[in-house]
Amino acid sequence: MRLTRVYVDTALIPGSLVELPPDTASHLARVLRARSGDELILFNGDGREFNGAIETVRGSRVSASVGASRPVDRESPLAITLVQCVPRGDRMDFIVQKATELGVARIVPVLSQRSVVRLDKAQAESKAVHWRAVAVSACEQCGRNRLPTIEAAQPLLNYLGESSPTTGPRLVLEPETAIHAQGTAGNLGRAGEIAILDAEIAIGPEGGFASDELEAFRVAGFSQIGLGPRILRAETAAIAAVVWLQARFGDMQSTSA
């Protein structure tokens, strides 16, 4: 039987006891009916997993003992940065969840000219805290032992003006472009067949990027790509772009690639 994985934001020392996070503890106690002695897997984002066991259950408070650790690496060899215009509703939650499951290393939420969502600084920080919790839950589910970095939302042009170029490709999804991902992959792969270690992909808002924003991307070193003849929703585009990158350059490659 698959053991429940629990993220704990503290040092994990074999032989010690830890108090589990309130939401997790409540779920274990009230939904899963956890009992003393039930086994768990604990992790804190440092790349290791720890054997664990529930020590006490008091109402919705749960403590666990920490056992032996082991390094378990489920990270992609390709460090992907997803620059995502924040869509309306709860679609960003979906994007963060799926991007985490697919191995994205960094998520940068941005606000562009055509973004429906508007956030002040306090709201951006609050949203970032929420999205980090979504990523934690996704890591618990998918087996990652390192959390993706999730930044607070910021204006797109601020990000482009201040960000440092990656060593790998910087790509912006633009449905109107004639340059499709398959051709881009071929061009990247012919440069001496050098392994690509990082990549950056930018996904626009519901109405797409404005022309001056696309020019700002060009100045920042981004190349435009498309993902076929259809217009994709923001959340679909994010998933499709990450899957394409992982399949071509990351840990979804076939052994013959």
Side-chain angles (χ1 to χ4, degrees):
M1 183 178 71
R2 183 179 176 185
L3 297 180
T4 300
R5 286 169 43 86
V6 176
Y7 172 75
V8 183
D9 186 16
T10 189
L12 293 173
I13 303 170
S16 67
L17 292 177
V18 293
E19 190 85 8
L20 301 187
D23 288 347
T24 301
S26 179
H27 180 74
L28 286 168
R30 300 182 185 280
V31 178
L32 299 183
R33 304 293 183 183
R35 296 290 183 268
S36 177
D38 289 354
E39 296 182 343
L40 302 167
I41 294 175
L42 305 172
F43 69 105
N44 65 358
D46 70 357
R48 295 179 293 169
E49 289 182 346
F50 293 76
N51 295 329
I54 291 177
E55 191 73 16
T56 61
V57 179
R58 295 189 180 93
S60 60
R61 297 184 63 181
V62 178
S63 66
S65 59
V66 182
S69 70
R70 56 191 176 277
V72 181
D73 184 11
R74 297 190 178 99
E75 296 304 297
S76 174
L78 178 68
I80 298 174
T81 293
L82 174 63
V83 181
Q84 176 69 53
C85 282
V86 180
R88 60 190 168 189
D90 60 359
R91 294 174 184 174
M92 191 65 183
D93 288 17
F94 178 85
I95 292 169
V96 169
Q97 181 190 67
K98 300 312 174 188
T100 300
E101 292 177 20
L102 290 167
V104 167
R106 178 176 172 234
I107 300 173
V108 183
V110 293
L111 304 170
S112 66
Q113 289 182 34
R114 296 174 180 168
S115 294
V116 176
V117 174
R118 298 295 174 191
L119 302 171
D120 61 27
K121 185 175 181 180
Q123 291 170 327
E125 291 291 346
S126 177
K127 284 289 188 182
V129 170
H130 171 73
W131 291 328
R132 287 166 192 148
V134 171
V136 164
S137 180
C139 285
E140 289 176 335
Q141 182 274 323
C142 74
R144 287 183 71 174
N145 291 311
R146 294 190 184 277
L147 306 182
T149 299
I150 301 181
E151 300 183 7
Q154 59 184 293
L156 171 63
L157 296 183
N158 286 11
Y159 173 73
L160 292 178
E162 298 172 2
S163 63
S164 300
T166 59
T167 57
R170 305 186 91 185
L171 306 169
V172 55
L173 203 62
E174 172 48 47
E176 302 299 325
T177 186
I179 303 172
H180 289 286
Q182 190 60 36
T184 301
N187 292 336
L188 294 173
R190 284 196 290 269
E193 295 301 325
I194 298 173
I196 294 174
L197 300 179
D198 59 10
E200 193 168 354
I201 183 80
I203 311 296
E206 290 85 348
F209 290 117
S211 58
D212 58 334
E213 290 173 332
L214 291 173
E215 174 61 16
F217 274 113
R218 186 193 67 78
V219 171
F222 282 74
S223 300
Q224 293 184 22
I225 64 163
L227 289 175
R230 292 168 297 280
I231 304 297
L232 305 179
R233 290 179 180 272
E235 65 271 28
T236 308
I239 307 309
V242 171
V243 168
W244 169 69
L245 284 169
Q246 290 286 37
R248 183 60 183 83
F249 307 108
D251 57 6
M252 290 182 177
Q253 298 182 70
S254 67
T255 55
S256 59

